[in-house]
Amino acid sequence: MAQLNFYSGTMDCGKSTLALQLDHNHRARGRVGQVFTSHDRAGTATLSSRLGLSVTALEVTPEFDFWDHVVGGLTHGGRIDYLVCDEAQFYTRRQVDDLARVVDELSVDVFAFGILTDFRTRLFEGSSRLVELADHVHTLQVEALCWCGRRATHNARTENGAMVTEGEVIVVGDVEAQRAPDASVGYEVLCRRHHRRRLTAASAHAAALSPDVLPFD
Ligand SMILES: Nc1ncnc2c1ncn2[C@@H]1O[C@H](COP(=O)(O)OP(=O)(O)O)[C@@H](O)[C@H]1O
Ligand SMILES: Cc1cn([C@H]2C[C@H](O)[C@@H](COP(=O)(O)O)O2)c(=O)[nH]c1=O
């Protein structure tokens, strides 16, 4: 029976790498799949992993219709066994509803990948709907780490090094500033404790060097 799977974790925990591996393994066994993404750092219509691999993908814009796309493909004699959907946090609620419908009514497996929460710790629209509808929600095993060594659970956005909590929800960027399209905006994964205190690696380092502040854990 086809299933809707959601693989989730912070930024930089290996979601896109797993998406590429999963696609490779299914393809290697003769299954026919299609790969989708949205706002990938490497550019439009690309699914890229920090380990260096990337593949061409279909870009999911807010107007994109998964149901029409898959039904159209099957009606024209095509075969579709599965969909790999990266950066699914950016998909709309309607698009995730359609993914569930594709699973249930067309028996196509869906493997969706995305971060759960934005830089303000709020659930993304696509991710919240996936949590509501998925047959299985998987947390990635590879743990991204906070600078303090704890498991990173939250994504912080930084502007010129300082953590910010206001701004547009979607700003493409990376955890390593030099790889981001706009180097002044970056991301850093943190444990909840340090996200709450807005303590990035840089600000913790600065605070540790200051003689005026008490030490923190
Ligand atoms: N130079 C490297 N050597 C080994 N592993 C790396 C290297 N660079 C990145 N990685 C691995 O790749 C992961 C990020 O993979 P990626 O698929 O791009 O993450 P995500 O899609 O979750 O943001 C890191 O957590 C790390 O495990
Ligand atoms: C937290 C957060 C992230 N983003 C962007 C930044 C990246 O371009 C992607 C996440 O990609 P990854 O492969 O999981 O590293 O999402 C954003 O637009 N808004 C946010 O709040």
Side-chain angles (χ1 to χ4, degrees):
M1 197 191 294
Q3 295 198 323
L4 175 58
N5 284 282
F6 180 39
Y7 298 85
S8 185
T10 60
M11 288 180 69
D12 198 30
C13 72
K15 301 179 299 299
S16 300
T17 305
L18 182 61
L20 289 165
Q21 290 175 314
L22 207 142
D23 178 48
H24 173 85
N25 289 355
H26 282 260
R27 231 170 259 282
R29 289 298 182 206
R31 299 192 80 208
V32 178
Q34 293 189 350
V35 179
F36 298 85
T37 193
S38 183
H39 300 288
D40 190 284
R41 281 179 307 278
T44 308
T46 305
L47 190 170
S48 70
S49 138
R50 291 182 182 81
L51 276 178
L53 281 176
S54 64
V55 295
T56 301
L58 289 151
E59 182 76 14
V60 178
T61 61
E63 297 74 37
F64 183 80
D65 191 317
F66 279 104
W67 178 258
D68 283 356
H69 177 83
V70 175
V71 167
L74 296 173
T75 309
H76 287 92
R79 178 178 154 194
I80 307 176
D81 297 319
Y82 67 92
L83 309 181
V84 169
C85 299
D86 201 21
E87 307 290 356
Q89 70 271 11
F90 297 140
Y91 298 3
T92 64
R93 187 180 172 88
R94 180 186 58 79
Q95 285 169 334
V96 175
D97 287 349
D98 278 350
L99 287 175
R101 192 173 168 207
V102 161
V103 171
D104 294 343
E105 298 182 26
L106 303 175
S107 292
V108 171
D109 282 313
V110 173
F111 305 103
F113 301 81
I115 52 180
L116 265 187
T117 53
D118 65 20
F119 69 110
R120 306 162 307 172
T121 71
R122 310 246 171 85
L123 286 166
F124 278 99
E125 179 177 334
S127 306
S128 73
R129 195 62 181 146
L130 277 160
V131 169
E132 287 166 349
L133 293 184
D135 293 295
H136 300 286
V137 178
H138 312 264
T139 302
L140 260 72
Q141 284 184 2
V142 176
E143 299 184 358
L145 300 179
C146 179
W147 58 265
C148 68
R150 287 193 195 93
R151 181 179 194 148
T153 46
H154 291 76
N155 307 295
R157 181 182 291 165
T158 58
E159 280 178 21
N160 300 311
M163 182 173 149
V164 294
T165 52
E166 285 178 15
E168 294 293 317
V169 173
I170 301 182
V171 177
V172 175
D174 205 344
V175 290
E176 283 186 34
Q178 68 272 23
R179 289 193 304 221
D182 174 359
S184 66
V185 179
Y187 288 92
E188 183 172 336
V189 292
L190 298 174
C191 65
R192 187 192 60 240
R193 193 169 305 211
H194 288 131
H195 196 281
R196 282 183 46 245
R197 295 182 192 174
R198 300 191 185 190
L199 269 178
T200 61
S203 52
H205 183 67
L209 291 179
S210 165
D212 300 330
V213 293
L214 291 170
F216 51 84
D217 62 338

